[in-house]
Amino acid sequence: MNDGTGQTPLHIPTFDDVRTAQARIAGIAHRTPVLTSRTADAAAGATLFFKAENLQRIGAFKFRGAYNAIAALAPEVRRHGVIAYSSGNHAQAIAYAAQLQGTPATIVMPKDAPAMKMAATRGYGADVVLYDRYTEDRQAISDRLARERGATLIPPYDHPDVIAGQGTAALELIEETGELDMLVAPLGGGGLLAGSALSARALSPGCAIFGVEPEAGNDGQQSLAKGEVVHIPVPRSIADGALSTHVGYHNFPILQRTVDGIVTVTDAQLVETMRFFAERMKIVVEPTGCLAAAAVLNGTIPCAGKRVGIILSGGNVDVKSLGAFLAG
């Protein structure tokens, strides 16, 4: 099996890798709280447990995988620096994780990335290289920079150590709640969903696992239906953290083996869910971070009477955008 180019052998991570990641990030990544809401429970007819990764360092689960991937590098490799491409959360995560480990970081970001995420990435000391997401190839740009600078490329989701690191969020969730009937996670490139599935299958084997994509970008749903990785044009959605054109080749075998279904939600449903979190639970969750919750609260995934874990993947949204979303 290869990475889709016929060149790179794949190492598919296992739950043992998630456990190793947990040890690497212990005391560095936050063990984020698990929140509950009687109002949400009533709306879903279920008992819901929200893993609040919007309160993670840099405001998103991405810190887990980024720190783990850099920490897994040999010291002499780490000294040459890391390269990443991202619309925002992985960018910030790599930049901050690299700063904490004394590693130079270069981040390739789309010109239309949220201003807050771009400013934070630069604030963590990373060199930011901009590109046009609709006309330029971020992978090609990153590969070139890695060759020129002798740095290691750490992609946002198609990397075994990133996937293992992301899986620690669900691991913590299930350690705290006990076994679940269902686990629901956002799906962009698939790193979070794949890592979450590894933890759920190991710790709560009877748990049904669902991924949730923006309606405009259902490449994961298409991929599972077709049995191979499907590529789509760059989608347009307010869920800027889930605008990938395909799921990762390292995580797709995990998704095929473990995931019970993938559903989609609309941008309007994401806004409605953001408003619920702001008004009723007093927390800020970005559109991408609302994907899983939106599917449950709107009944897209029936879960009446079940114990359901929901990953809130991030809380990074510009204040002006947040105001516009909530006022709309």
Side-chain angles (χ1 to χ4, degrees):
M1 196 170 190
N2 58 60
D3 67 350
T5 67
Q7 297 177 350
T8 307
L10 296 183
H11 164 64
I12 306 301
T14 67
F15 182 63
D16 285 343
D17 295 311
V18 179
R19 282 292 193 196
T20 298
Q22 184 183 37
R24 283 198 187 107
I25 70 175
I28 299 165
H30 295 324
R31 189 178 179 98
T32 52
V34 176
L35 307 179
T36 59
S37 164
R38 287 183 296 177
T39 304
D41 287 356
T47 303
L48 309 183
F49 301 96
F50 299 99
K51 181 61 170 171
E53 285 297 287
N54 55 315
L55 303 179
Q56 184 55 261
R57 296 184 87 161
I58 70 91
F61 77 98
K62 292 283 190 178
F63 181 77
R64 296 173 181 272
Y67 193 92
N68 184 54
I70 294 174
L73 296 173
E76 62 272 17
V77 175
R78 203 180 304 140
R79 281 195 294 271
H80 290 289
V82 293
I83 305 278
Y85 51 80
S86 167
S87 62
N89 285 342
H90 183 64
Q92 294 174 83
I94 288 289
Y96 189 33
Q99 182 188 72
L100 291 175
Q101 297 180 70
T103 305
T106 301
I107 314 294
V108 178
M109 298 187 73
K111 295 176 182 177
D112 61 347
M116 182 186 75
K117 294 182 180 182
M118 197 177 295
T121 302
R122 288 191 169 113
Y124 292 132
D127 176 23
V128 173
V129 176
L130 300 179
Y131 78 101
D132 185 324
R133 75 164 88 219
Y134 299 105
T135 62
E136 295 181 282
D137 184 342
R138 66 182 186 175
Q139 178 80 52
I141 295 169
S142 301
D143 287 342
R144 174 178 56 79
L145 289 170
R147 288 193 302 271
E148 291 174 355
R149 303 183 183 191
T152 299
L153 176 62
I154 301 178
Y157 51 83
D158 200 2
H159 188 289
D161 293 320
V162 169
I163 295 167
Q166 318 307 28
T168 61
L171 188 160
E172 292 175 4
L173 170 63
I174 298 169
E175 284 182 339
E176 183 163 339
T177 64
E179 292 196 23
L180 298 167
D181 298 313
M182 184 180 295
L183 178 68
V184 189
L187 172 57
L192 176 62
L193 181 57
S196 297
L198 291 175
S199 293
R201 282 288 169 260
L203 301 178
S204 187
C207 176
I209 300 170
F210 287 88
V212 186
E213 297 178 296
E215 185 178 61
N218 71 331
D219 54 289
Q221 189 180 58
Q222 291 184 50
S223 296
L224 275 195
K226 192 172 182 180
E228 63 184 51
V229 175
V230 172
H231 292 243
I232 63 171
V234 177
R236 294 179 185 268
S237 167
I238 62 172
D240 64 276
L243 301 185
S244 55
T245 59
H246 62 91
V247 297
Y249 289 91
H250 287 85
N251 57 55
F252 185 59
I254 301 172
L255 304 184
Q256 283 186 298
R257 187 175 72 245
T258 61
V259 171
D260 294 282
I262 296 173
V263 302
T264 66
V265 295
T266 67
D267 279 4
Q269 289 172 325
L270 293 177
V271 170
E272 179 185 343
T273 306
M274 289 178 69
R275 188 176 295 118
F276 171 81
F277 284 127
E279 293 179 350
R280 303 309 296 265
M281 295 182 68
K282 315 306 177 188
I283 57 174
V284 174
V285 185
E286 66 184 279
T288 307
C290 288
L291 283 165
V296 171
L297 294 175
N298 284 280
T300 307
I301 301 174
C303 57
K306 298 185 183 300
R307 289 167 44 84
V308 183
I310 298 171
I311 308 284
L312 304 180
S313 60
N316 293 320
V317 57
D318 290 322
V319 174
K320 289 183 179 179
S321 298
L322 177 64
F325 288 141
L326 298 183

